Amino acid sequence: MKHEIREETAGIVVAFEGDVDLQSSPDARKVLLDCVGMGKSVVVDLSKVGYIDSSGVASLVESFQSARKGGRNLVLASVSEGALRVLKLARLDKVFTICDSVEDGLSALG
Amino acid sequence: MNEPLTTLATQRDHPMEAANGTETSIVYDQLDLLSEMSREFTNSRDMTASLEKAVAHITAYLKAEGGALFMLDAAGKTLVCEACVGATEITGLTVPSDQGIVGRSVQNHSAEIVRDVQKDPNFYNKVDEETGFTTRSIICAPLRVKDERIGAIELINKQSDDGLFSDEDLRLLETMCASAGLAIHNARQADALVEQEVLARELELAAEIQRSLLPMERDDGYPVHGINIPARTVSGDFFDFFELDDGRICFNLGDVSGKGMNAALLMAKTASLFRCLGKTIHQPGRLLAVINEEICETAARGMFVTMVGGIYDPRSGIVRIANAGHEPPLFFDAAATCNSFEAEAPPLGITTFLADGDRYPENEFQLAGGSFYIFTDGVTEGYLADGSEMGVTGLIKILLAGADRTAAERLADVVRAIEEGGGAIRDDTTLLCLEDKSRADAAQSIDMEPKASTDYMGDEIMNLQVPSRPDRLKLVRSAVSQAAAYCDCSDEMVRDVVIAVDEALQNVIRHGYSNRADGEIKVTINRTVDNFLVFIRDYADTVNVEQVQPRNLDDVRPGGLGTHFIREVMDEVTFLPPPDGRGNLLKLVKRIA
């Protein structure tokens, strides 16, 4: 799994590429918490994540809760069908703000 | 060319020489010759060298110009010169056993003297023609023990002025030949005995290896028992049973055509094929077909194997068998009603063309407290005490009479009936019994349920084993994804199955093996007509099923989602009792709509 972080005016955009599974989710978790720690809201670009498992979802949830605690937001953008299936299974599709694109996500951060 | 036997010559030259011509000396000389030759044969183990020494001794003793020892070949058609001394070298010369003076002597068991060979119509003059030697006189006496013709010793030309032998010479030769014949006979017997002992040892070794191919006898509660009594040292019959990882028991019983070593070798091969292939091919009909292909490819012409192979599931009580040309096995249901399963396909090794394509036809039934028996024709063709054959009727009688006894005792009853009846067992005698007393009580309730066989039966699509390492999950996902697509699962189903297997493996790695990387995980994928099945086997501590519960999803927090995912996407999630009590066996089923 690879990732890329860039800073926009509205917030941090972190893009993951590859599978977020038991092997890579500890890294993903660290990246996500670091982004949240940068003091801005975060857009997570999942367009290039083919597979995300429960541990990956857990990392998203943890970062989301951390961001919220600091009064910021964490939104998901360009969620692939596979990842969306997992979010739906966890009933998290109603918890997260899921945007069609990174641009929409940045706008959603408001 | 051939040195006279020095010890004999010495003995003869001194005490015997002086007394030569008396009856006593002749007797002594006979005994000397016999004991010397016997000793020679025993010590040297080189028959030819010993024969040469014997001929040399006799030739010298009777003062002949030459001597030759002829042996009759195994077929009794030809006399071969095995040793010769003096005049001409004719070792290796062959004479038809009904020709020549030697031939006449051997055929008639008589000593022959020909004072003038040129006048004897039986004289075989070819040698003289070829060598330029002039044969004048011959004495010849047979080597024999009772009626057994061994050969003859022929002496040529007396070392005297006229070169002629006397009747006394003939009598001496005859008696010496009697001793030599006995010595040769004894040596041959000893050789045969040694050879026999070597063969017997080898055979015993082969039998030992064969016995090691049979499964260990299990305790009374185990569902399968067998017995094998070879008619000779080695057996052409065999039986076997072993457990699969999922707890099912694979069993078989076979009979190789013919007896003896060749049958035993084919038996060993077939038994090994069954045990090896039976671990991956779990449909008896298909398993027998694959073994059949192997045997057809390599078996010696005309040899074949009849076999019943089957698989028993202790959980469902379902038995599935395939019969390749074997004696119909018997099934007694709980009410002791007897059914038999006729073979619908030829024995293994006959043809690869099967009516059902790539498999032998199968039969399936519920054991339900009944008993299933497979046996060889050595059982049904065994003699009973009244001299009649046991037959299937006799077998049924013994088995029913022992209904209250354990399976092993009942099988022993059958063998005893044959041993007491016919004396020696004529044919390899082998029986196998499958019965599950622990399920007898469950028989009724099982029948009420829909047939559970399809739950674990079906074709094995894939079987892979990985260490408990997170970095192998991607490999497993990829393989499972391909396997599901291969089984005609829709894209959504493929995706769901992958999620379930991935999450199940995660649980095993994280909770079962506590993130240790050296655990063993096996993933097996089967499919039936309408189900996609995944079995996940691990050897970690057995999980407490009660504790493996999906979490409450309204409580948004990380972790604990995996089990929920699995239950959400699969149609059936069951922890099966792990085989031999170790680890866990999780079964996941997805219906293929």
Side-chain angles (χ1 to χ4, degrees):
Chain A
M1 184 205 67
K2 293 188 287 190
H3 71 275
E4 215 171 45
I5 301 170
R6 69 174 200 271
E7 199 169 341
E8 298 278 355
T9 328
I12 310 285
V13 177
V14 55
F16 290 101
E17 188 180 336
D19 290 0
V20 182
D21 62 4
L22 188 61
Q23 167 76 4
S24 57
S25 64
D27 292 342
R29 175 177 174 274
K30 193 172 172 298
V31 169
L32 284 167
L33 290 174
D34 285 350
C35 289
V36 170
M38 287 164 84
K40 285 188 169 182
S41 287
V42 177
V43 176
V44 184
D45 180 356
L46 294 175
S47 60
K48 288 179 177 164
V49 172
Y51 184 81
I52 183 165
D53 73 354
S54 61
S55 69
V57 168
S59 303
L60 288 175
V61 171
E62 192 184 352
S63 318
F64 173 76
Q65 287 171 332
S66 172
R68 277 303 176 88
K69 222 177 278 177
R72 294 177 300 277
N73 203 356
L74 184 144
V75 302
L76 309 180
S78 301
V79 180
S80 66
E81 217 174 295
L84 190 62
R85 170 66 174 159
V86 175
L87 290 172
K88 281 184 174 169
L89 284 172
R91 311 287 190 265
L92 288 172
D93 53 330
K94 301 283 182 279
V95 174
F96 284 108
T97 304
I98 297 173
C99 306
D100 289 339
S101 65
V102 172
E103 285 68 37
D104 288 356
L106 286 168
S107 317
L109 292 178
Chain B
M1 152 190 59
N2 287 313
E3 293 293 320
L5 192 61
T6 47
T7 49
L8 278 174
T10 313
Q11 281 174 358
R12 189 185 65 79
D13 284 347
H14 301 292
M16 306 297 172
E17 184 83 341
N20 200 7
T22 70
E23 286 299 319
T24 323
S25 82
I26 290 169
V27 171
Y28 274 131
D29 285 356
Q30 295 323 306
L31 291 175
D32 280 345
L33 180 65
L34 181 60
S35 71
E36 269 307 313
M37 281 182 74
S38 296
R39 205 174 69 198
E40 189 60 39
F41 284 136
T42 316
N43 291 344
S44 76
R45 300 243 52 81
D46 180 353
M47 188 77 129
T48 311
S50 302
L51 292 175
E52 278 171 2
K53 287 181 178 175
V55 174
H57 171 67
I58 292 171
T59 306
Y61 189 90
L62 289 172
K63 295 191 167 66
E65 283 181 11
L69 185 147
F70 288 84
M71 301 272 262
L72 197 60
D73 70 356
K77 297 268 187 237
T78 312
L79 285 158
V80 185
C81 178
E82 297 283 352
C84 107
V85 65
T88 43
E89 171 57 61
I90 56 163
T91 306
L93 176 82
T94 59
V95 181
S97 65
D98 54 355
Q99 284 181 29
I101 292 157
V102 190
R104 190 168 67 197
S105 171
V106 169
Q107 290 305 326
N108 300 340
H109 290 310
S110 62
E112 300 280 333
I113 179 164
V114 183
R115 293 180 75 86
D116 186 350
V117 295
Q118 306 306 340
K119 289 177 186 166
D120 190 298
N122 271 324
F123 179 59
Y124 191 76
N125 62 358
K126 240 184 167 169
V127 177
D128 277 11
E129 281 169 18
E130 280 172 19
T131 60
F133 183 81
T134 306
T135 306
R136 284 182 301 244
S137 181
I138 291 178
I139 50 173
C140 183
L143 296 164
R144 65 185 172 107
V145 172
K146 291 183 183 160
D147 289 338
E148 184 196 341
R149 294 177 168 88
I150 295 170
I153 293 178
E154 187 179 66
L155 299 182
I156 300 165
N157 297 355
K158 183 87 175 176
Q159 288 175 11
S160 62
D161 293 342
D162 61 359
L164 299 182
F165 287 110
S166 66
D167 287 343
E168 178 61 17
D169 292 330
L170 181 65
R171 203 162 64 83
L172 280 170
L173 179 63
E174 198 176 2
T175 44
M176 294 188 102
C177 277
S179 299
L182 192 61
I184 293 168
H185 175 79
N186 288 345
R188 280 179 168 179
Q189 292 277 32
D191 272 354
L193 209 65
V194 168
E195 204 170 310
Q196 233 169 39
E197 262 169 34
V198 169
L199 272 179
R201 254 202 313 278
E202 280 176 4
L203 210 61
E204 190 43 57
L205 209 64
E208 201 178 304
I209 290 169
Q210 265 205 325
R211 281 193 294 274
S212 76
L213 293 176
L214 297 176
M216 299 272 283
E217 175 66 11
R218 306 291 275 264
D219 59 38
D220 288 345
Y222 194 77
V224 190
H225 291 272
I227 194 167
N228 166 251
I229 311 289
R232 305 185 190 177
T233 316
V234 290
S235 177
D237 284 4
F238 61 97
F239 72 91
D240 195 9
F241 52 83
F242 52 88
E243 278 150 72
L244 301 175
D245 280 346
D246 59 13
R248 286 182 289 164
I249 300 169
C250 208
F251 59 87
N252 75 344
L253 183 144
D255 184 354
V256 178
S257 61
K259 290 189 210 34
M261 203 44 111
N262 52 352
L265 286 172
L266 184 54
M267 168 269 177
K269 174 179 176 159
T270 312
S272 305
L273 280 172
F274 187 92
R275 187 164 257 257
C276 183
L277 295 169
K279 284 174 182 157
T280 49
I281 305 172
H282 298 163
Q283 307 103 335
R286 179 74 193 122
L287 175 57
L288 262 52
V290 175
I291 297 173
N292 177 50
E293 279 165 28
E294 276 297 317
I295 296 177
C296 280
E297 220 170 85
T298 54
R301 196 179 297 263
M303 291 192 76
F304 58 86
V305 185
T306 67
M307 183 197 278
V308 174
I311 194 158
Y312 168 62
D313 191 322
R315 293 173 299 253
S316 64
I318 288 172
V319 183
R320 276 185 115 179
I321 58 157
N323 185 348
H326 194 79
E327 289 268 301
L330 300 174
F331 175 58
F332 298 87
D333 63 19
T337 310
C338 184
N339 299 291
S340 68
F341 298 89
E342 296 287 337
E344 293 162 43
L348 309 174
I350 303 271
T351 171
T352 51
F353 178 78
L354 301 173
D356 289 27
D358 65 348
R359 64 196 59 222
Y360 279 73
E362 291 181 356
N363 285 296
E364 183 180 299
F365 59 94
Q366 261 284 352
L367 197 53
S371 305
F372 178 65
Y373 298 95
I374 321 172
F375 47 89
T376 56
D377 52 13
V379 174
T380 44
E381 289 169 10
Y383 286 129
L384 295 174
D386 62 4
S388 66
E389 269 191 2
M390 174 178 293
V392 176
T393 325
L395 176 63
I396 292 175
K397 223 160 125 184
I398 296 172
L399 293 174
L400 286 178
D404 295 336
R405 291 155 68 70
T406 67
E409 286 170 344
R410 234 172 295 141
L411 299 184
D413 286 346
V414 175
V415 171
R416 197 173 317 111
I418 300 168
E419 280 172 342
E420 284 171 1
I425 284 189
R426 289 189 301 166
D427 195 358
D428 301 332
T429 301
T430 308
L431 293 103
L432 179 138
C433 172
L434 168 67
E435 68 181 11
D436 201 344
K437 294 291 187 199
S438 69
R439 289 199 55 83
D441 301 335
Q444 294 308 315
S445 62
I446 284 291
D447 279 344
M448 305 300 287
E449 291 174 8
K451 273 202 170 180
S453 67
T454 48
D455 279 357
Y456 358 79
M457 298 297 168
D459 294 337
E460 185 176 282
I461 302 298
M462 188 180 82
N463 189 349
L464 58 91
Q465 185 175 334
V466 289
S468 56
R469 295 167 56 122
D471 63 354
R472 302 302 156 85
L473 290 174
K474 196 177 168 82
L475 293 176
V476 175
R477 287 199 300 272
S478 169
V480 170
S481 166
Q482 297 291 329
Y486 175 81
C487 292
D488 310 318
C489 291
S490 67
D491 290 352
E492 282 77 9
M493 283 164 62
V494 170
R495 199 187 54 206
D496 284 357
V497 165
V498 167
I499 290 170
V501 174
D502 182 272
E503 294 295 344
L505 260 62
Q506 269 193 56
N507 281 342
V508 171
I509 294 170
R510 294 165 65 188
H511 307 301
Y513 287 119
S514 307
N515 293 311
R516 278 195 295 117
D518 60 353
E520 189 184 329
I521 306 174
K522 283 181 188 160
V523 180
T524 307
I525 290 178
N526 280 23
R527 89 155 284 180
T528 63
V529 178
D530 40 20
N531 283 326
F532 180 83
L533 299 103
V534 185
F535 296 92
I536 297 168
R537 176 87 171 97
D538 67 64
Y539 302 88
D541 289 345
T542 303
V543 299
N544 181 347
V545 179
E546 313 301 316
Q547 284 174 0
V548 187
Q549 293 296 335
R551 57 171 269 213
N552 179 1
L553 290 173
D554 296 335
D555 175 18
V556 180
R557 60 173 171 81
L561 283 168
T563 307
H564 165 73
F565 284 7
I566 300 168
R567 294 193 187 275
E568 193 79 5
V569 300
M570 299 305 278
D571 294 303
E572 192 187 320
V573 180
T574 333
F575 275 100
L576 299 175
D580 61 52
R582 286 195 312 140
N584 301 284
L585 177 60
L586 178 67
K587 184 177 101 182
L588 307 175
V589 181
K590 184 81 181 166
R591 309 226 187 286
I592 305 169

